[in-house]
Amino acid sequence: MTVTNNSGGGQPVSMQNMKQVKMLCEKYNTLLVLDCCRIAENSWFIKHREKGYERKTYYQIAQEMFRYADAAVMSAKKDGLVNMGGFLTLKDQKLAEECQNLLIITEGFTTYGGLSGRDMEALAVGLEEVFDKDYLQYRIRSTAFLGEHLDKIGIPVLKPFGGHAIYVDAKRMYEHIPPHEFPGQALVCDLYVYGGIRAVEIGSLMFGKTLKGKFVPAHWELVRLAIPRRVYTQSHVEYIVEVFEEVKKQVKKSKGFKILYEPPFLRRFTCKLQRL
Ligand SMILES: Cc1ncc(COP(=O)(O)O)c(C=O)c1O
C-alpha cells in the first residue's frame, strides 16, 4: 500500500482503506507492506478529512497506520526530508534477519546500510520535523497554491489537489495529440523547453502497452508536477504559472512523439523518443 497514491493524482489513502486492506491480507495470509514515503502528508489528509481523526496528532495517525502494516519501506527523499536514503522495516524477526544478511553482502552493515552517518542523522531529524503541524500546513497549502493558480489560468488540473504534486490532465490540454503519441510527454517537453521545468509523464508512456500488435492506452494521460520539500518560494511557483501561460499559447503547435527505442521493461526510464 503506497501512501499517498503517487500514480493516481497524489490522493490520500484513508485509514478505513488501510484497515480493509489489512483484513484482506489476513484473509489470504499475505504480508501487508506499506510504502510510507509520504506518510506525514497522508496523515494531514486523514486528520482534516476522515471522521474520528480530528483530535489525533499527525504522528498518532501515522503510528496507527504503521500498526496495520507488517512491513514498511521508505524512500526518505520524500517525508524523511533528506537528500538521500531510506529504510526497510519488518515486524517478523526471522524475515528481518534474512534481509539484514542480504543487506550486509550488498549495501553495508546493518547499522548504516550503505548510508553515510551524516545522512542518517539528517534523516532522524527529518522524521521528527515532518510531523510539525506548521510545516505540514505550509507544505499542503503551497502545493494547493500552485494548483489553484494553474486552475485559474485554465490548465486542466486534477482535483482535489494531492499533497506532494499537482497533476495536469494532458489528454484535455493536448486534445489534438492521440494517446499513442503521448500527449503527456508533449507537455513534459514543452515545460522543459520553454521554462526549464522538469516534470514526469504518468500516462501511456508509463502504463500503455502493445498487445498482439495493438496499442492499449493508459487510463489517464497525466503529468505530475512534484514539488520538492523546503526548496521553492512563492516566486518560484509564480514562475511555473507564467511558463504554463506560455506553453498554453503554443499548445496547438505542439506535436506528439514516436518511440525509437524501448527496453523490455520500465520503458519510461530509458526509452528514446522522437518528436513527430
Ligand atoms: C511512492 C514511491 N515509492 C518509492 C519511490 C522510489 O524512491 P527512490 O528513488 O528513493 O528509490 C518513489 C520515487 O519517486 C515513490 O514515489
Side-chain angles (χ1 to χ4, degrees):
M1 174 71 94
T2 302
V3 299
T4 53
N5 184 345
N6 187 37
S7 47
Q11 299 301 318
V13 175
S14 69
M15 199 65 86
Q16 185 59 22
N17 193 168
M18 185 69 184
K19 284 181 196 168
Q20 284 172 333
V21 173
K22 173 70 183 162
M23 275 157 54
L24 206 60
C25 288
E26 274 175 353
K27 183 172 165 195
Y28 292 101
N29 196 23
T30 299
L31 277 191
L32 175 51
V33 181
L34 188 64
D35 180 333
C36 67
C37 75
R38 298 185 180 94
I39 187 131
E41 290 171 4
N42 200 72
S43 301
W44 187 94
F45 285 109
I46 290 179
K47 182 177 169 76
H48 298 283
R49 292 199 192 153
E50 193 168 351
K51 214 166 165 305
Y53 288 89
E54 305 83 351
R55 290 171 183 277
K56 297 243 159 94
T57 65
Y58 303 117
Y59 198 85
Q60 286 168 333
I61 294 170
Q63 282 179 318
E64 180 178 339
M65 195 157 261
F66 278 118
R67 276 201 289 277
Y68 300 121
D70 300 297
V73 286
M74 183 181 212
S75 166
K77 289 183 267 185
K78 286 83 175 184
D79 278 355
L81 301 181
V82 288
N83 298 328
M84 187 46 79
F87 58 78
L88 162 67
T89 172
L90 295 128
K91 284 185 181 157
D92 183 314
Q93 196 56 39
K94 196 170 159 294
L95 210 53
E97 275 167 25
E98 283 177 36
C99 291
Q100 282 176 344
N101 288 335
L102 201 59
L103 181 73
I104 294 168
I105 57 170
T106 54
E107 302 282 354
F109 196 63
T110 55
T111 48
Y112 66 96
L115 287 171
S116 68
R118 184 217 159 271
D119 285 338
M120 290 198 324
E121 285 183 24
L123 176 52
V125 176
L127 289 174
E128 296 265 349
E129 287 187 3
V130 77
F131 288 103
D132 180 280
K133 66 177 180 10
D134 295 332
Y135 161 77
L136 274 176
Q137 179 68 18
Y138 180 80
R139 167 75 176 155
I140 304 289
R141 269 306 305 149
S142 55
T143 301
F145 180 90
L146 173 61
E148 285 158 8
H149 282 76
L150 290 179
D151 192 29
K152 218 178 272 173
I153 62 161
I155 304 296
V157 283
L158 238 66
K159 287 189 259 183
F161 305 128
H164 71 294
I166 295 300
Y167 291 68
V168 180
D169 184 347
K171 204 188 233 168
R172 277 176 57 206
M173 188 166 169
Y174 288 74
E175 280 169 341
H176 60 293
I177 302 181
H180 69 274
E181 291 175 6
F182 312 117
Q185 195 60 22
L187 174 58
V188 167
C189 292
D190 289 350
L191 286 172
Y192 190 71
V193 170
Y194 287 112
I197 294 169
R198 296 189 306 141
V200 70
E201 192 258 17
I202 301 186
S204 289
L205 188 62
M206 193 179 270
F207 294 123
K209 290 186 183 75
T210 306
L211 293 176
K212 293 183 188 152
K214 200 167 169 284
F215 174 76
V216 184
H219 189 64
W220 292 93
E221 302 297 339
L222 300 177
V223 168
R224 187 191 71 173
L225 302 163
I227 325 265
R229 290 149 190 84
R230 291 175 161 170
V231 174
Y232 295 135
T233 62
Q234 186 168 327
S235 52
H236 290 112
V237 175
E238 284 162 354
Y239 170 76
I240 302 171
V241 178
E242 280 170 29
V243 172
F244 261 93
E245 274 174 333
E246 286 306 304
V247 168
K248 195 174 170 229
K249 279 185 213 155
Q250 319 275 340
V251 87
K252 287 276 174 292
K253 283 194 220 149
S254 189
K255 297 225 161 63
F257 289 85
K258 71 171 179 189
I259 298 179
L260 294 182
Y261 158 80
E262 63 178 296
F265 308 105
L266 300 173
R267 73 171 176 203
R268 60 188 181 270
F269 292 119
T270 54
C271 64
K272 290 194 172 34
L273 299 167
Q274 188 178 55
R275 212 145 202 174
L276 292 164

